[in-house]
Amino acid sequence: LYLPVNDPFGYATADVDPNFTVTLNKLDTNTGIISGTFSGTLFRRLGSGGTSTTDSVSVTEGRFDLRYD
C-alpha cells in the first residue's frame, strides 16, 4: 500500500511485517459508491526503495467513501 502525503517519497506499509488493514463495508452499485475503513501504521518511503523504521504515521480510525464508474 502506498499513500502520498505531500512528499515525493510519501508513506507506505513496512517492507517487513506490514500491519495495515482495509475493510470494505459497503458496495453500492446503484450510486457507484464504495465505503470502508482502514487502520495501521505507514512508514516514510526512502529514496533507496525501502521504508524508514522510525518515521511513521499511525491511523486508528480511517474511513473512506469513493465514487466509481
Side-chain angles (χ1 to χ4, degrees):
L1 178 65
Y2 169 69
L3 300 173
V5 183
N6 296 327
D7 184 291
F9 293 108
Y11 285 79
T13 54
D15 291 335
V16 178
D17 192 25
N19 184 16
F20 200 85
T21 303
V22 176
T23 303
L24 297 180
N25 298 321
K26 183 176 181 182
L27 173 61
D28 189 329
T29 57
N30 293 321
T31 61
I33 296 176
I34 298 173
S35 300
T37 58
F38 57 96
S39 64
T41 303
L42 298 173
F43 295 85
R44 184 179 204 90
R45 290 179 55 134
L46 303 173
S48 62
T51 54
S52 169
T53 57
T54 56
D55 188 356
S56 64
V57 175
S58 291
V59 180
T60 56
E61 295 181 18
R63 182 177 182 282
F64 64 90
D65 295 293
L66 302 172
R67 259 192 202 283
Y68 70 93
D69 295 321

